[in-house]
């Protein structure tokens, strides 16, 4: 009897371990494949690759919501997240910026014209590298008090720091930038710090959980008559955007599939339906625990974080009803927003 019990217990534990391994393996797999959306993926042609000879308003997408805007004279950056620690590093070790990687990004993408870095909020996947950027370049770091305390933790000079004044425009070259108070994606078990702030300088390395949200912002960027909106998080303040119309909308879709159908429809109605863009570019859909593969397409988030295939399809279906073109950027290639003749 005792031997049979031990045998049954051993078999049960073995099956349980197998099931746990199978579940974890599934949850860590990409939640679909971006190549399945080939119809919407942007592929640059040779004319665009040689754009240096014809300056125009362009953007490069570095994953999550890190976006480099460039008009040939001035560059501005939304968020600063290039280092991308692995999931295991993020969960079990303090995270920190990689100075060598940031130096390489600065060199490879010719960031000597970068004038300002704007943070959408202060979670590490948006603000981890703003300190190192501020140490290596004489740029303005613009964000909430929480974002500025991340920079202060790395001894970025106070003269380079500027706290956001909501709804007040800032001018950098021909870029006019306005920060609009926004709402973060609904909280999860590991992301339940919404509204919490970083009250003291945050030195790195630091636990990812120390990078408190510290308030969220959308950014309206105007370049002459051309207008675009960057909304990094899948959340909105009702009717906040009702008086805004843009040519291009950069729309965060992280965890859109995890929300209720009513939430999904309200979110898309308050963004796409309201600002009426000609083009919608989804952001915050990639697996930010993987390194930034500059020559390879970004991967979807794993099932652990989202069903990105479903989130992307929800966006595409809704945009089609509004006759908005969806463009998916999968690498930090130059994407032309407006030529100098527009």
């Amino acid at each position: 009897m005792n031997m049979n019990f031990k045998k049954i217990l051993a078999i049960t534990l073995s099956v349980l371990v197998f099931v746990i391994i199978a579940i974890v393996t599934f949850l860590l797999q990409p939640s679909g494949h971006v190549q399945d959306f080939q119809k919407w993926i942007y592929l640059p042609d040779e004319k665009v690759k040689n754009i240096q000879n014809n300056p125009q308003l362009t953007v490069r997408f570095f994953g999550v919501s890190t976006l480099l805007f460039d008009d040939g004279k001035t560059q501005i950056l939304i968020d600063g997240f290039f280092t991308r620690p692995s999931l295991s590093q993020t969960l079990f070790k303090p995270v920190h910026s990689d100075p060598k990687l940031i130096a390489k990004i600065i060199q490879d993408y010719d960031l000597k014209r970068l004038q300002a870095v704007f943070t959408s909020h202060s979670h590490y996947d948006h603000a981890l590298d703003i300190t190192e950027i501020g140490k290596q370049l004489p740029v303005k770091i613009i964000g909430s008090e929480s974002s500025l305390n991340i920079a202060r933790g790395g001894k970025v000079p106070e003269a380079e720091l500027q706290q956001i004044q909501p709804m007040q425009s800032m001018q950098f070259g021909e870029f006019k930038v306005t920060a609009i108070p926004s709402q973060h994606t609904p909280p999860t078990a590991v992301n339940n710090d919404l509204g919490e702030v970083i009250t003291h300088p945050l030195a790195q390395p630091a636990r990812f959980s120390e990078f408190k949200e510290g308030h969220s912002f959308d950014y309206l960027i105007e370049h002459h008559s051309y207008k675009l909106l960057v909304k990094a998080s899948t959340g909105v303040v009702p009717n906040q955007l009702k008086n805004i119309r843009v040519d291009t909308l950069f729309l965060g879709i992280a965890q859109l599939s995890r929300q209720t159908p009513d939430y999904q429809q309200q979110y898309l109605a308050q963004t796409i339906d309201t600002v009426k863009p000609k083009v919608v570019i989804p952001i915050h859909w990639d697996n930010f625990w993987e390194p930034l593969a500059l020559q390879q397409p970004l991967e979807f988030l794993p099932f652990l974080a989202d069903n990105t295939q479903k989130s992307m399809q929800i966006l595409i279906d809704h945009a089609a009803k509004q006759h908005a073109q969806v463009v998916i950027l999968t690498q930090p290639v130059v994407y032309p927003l407006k030529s100098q003749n527009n």
Side-chain angles (χ1 to χ4, degrees), residues 112-140:
K112 63 180 181 291
R113 291 178 287 105
L114 183 65
Q115 291 196 12
V117 181
F118 300 85
T119 56
S120 60
H121 61 275
S122 302
H123 283 154
Y124 86 103
D125 57 326
H126 298 262
L128 179 65
D129 292 317
I130 63 172
T131 300
E132 192 59 39
I133 294 170
K135 289 165 69 174
Q136 295 194 28
L137 289 171
V139 299
K140 282 287 185 182

Side-chain angles (χ1 to χ4, degrees), residues 50 67 80 176 227 271:
N50 295 320
L67 296 157
K176 179 182 175 183
K227 296 182 181 182
T271 54

Side-chain angles (χ1 to χ4, degrees), residues 57-169:
L57 180 60
T58 66
V59 65
R60 291 183 189 265
F61 175 53
F62 291 90
V64 190
S65 50
T66 297
L67 296 157
L68 176 66
F69 294 96
D70 190 341
D71 67 358
K73 298 176 183 177
T74 305
Q75 297 166 324
I76 61 172
L77 188 68
I78 302 295
D79 286 344
F81 185 59
F82 302 96
T83 297
R84 299 166 69 102
S86 70
L87 178 58
S88 61
Q89 289 175 316
T90 301
L91 292 178
F92 303 118
K93 297 179 181 179
V95 297
H96 62 87
S97 188
D98 181 345
K100 291 183 179 178
L101 175 63
I102 300 307
K104 185 175 184 347
I105 293 288
I106 290 171
Q107 179 179 358
D108 290 353
Y109 294 95
D110 194 24
L111 299 190
K112 63 180 181 291
R113 291 178 287 105
L114 183 65
Q115 291 196 12
V117 181
F118 300 85
T119 56
S120 60
H121 61 275
S122 302
H123 283 154
Y124 86 103
D125 57 326
H126 298 262
L128 179 65
D129 292 317
I130 63 172
T131 300
E132 192 59 39
I133 294 170
K135 289 165 69 174
Q136 295 194 28
L137 289 171
V139 299
K140 282 287 185 182
I141 305 295
I142 302 170
S144 67
E145 186 67 13
S146 294
S147 292
L148 300 191
N149 274 328
I150 294 172
R152 290 185 181 113
K155 310 298 184 185
V156 175
E158 198 67 27
E160 292 185 16
L161 308 182
Q162 182 175 332
Q163 188 165 350
I164 282 177
Q165 300 299 317
M167 309 306 291
Q168 293 187 17
S169 298

Side-chain angles (χ1 to χ4, degrees), residues 190-216:
V190 295
N191 187 22
N192 59 355
D193 64 349
L194 305 191
E196 294 184 28
V197 299
I198 302 170
T199 57
H200 302 287
L202 181 61
Q204 299 183 28
R207 294 286 180 183
F208 83 94
S209 57
E210 295 182 80
F211 291 80
K212 304 298 184 182
E213 182 241 358
H215 308 302
S216 294

Side-chain angles (χ1 to χ4, degrees), residues 266-328:
Q266 282 298 311
Y267 176 67
L268 296 171
Q270 290 280 332
T271 54
I272 296 175
D273 298 8
T274 299
V275 302
K276 303 187 183 304
K278 300 180 183 70
V279 176
V280 180
I281 299 178
I283 56 176
H284 212 333
W285 54 263
D286 57 297
N287 185 356
F288 51 84
W289 296 303
E290 289 291 328
L292 187 61
L294 301 177
Q295 304 302 322
Q296 298 294 326
L298 295 163
E299 288 187 357
F300 280 168
L301 280 163
F303 284 107
L304 177 69
D306 193 11
N307 183 340
T308 308
Q309 183 127 356
K310 183 178 178 182
S311 294
M312 192 71 78
Q313 194 62 57
I314 291 169
L315 167 66
I316 288 171
D317 291 345
H318 192 93
K321 294 176 184 176
Q322 297 298 318
H323 307 290
Q325 177 188 3
V326 173
V327 175
I328 301 175

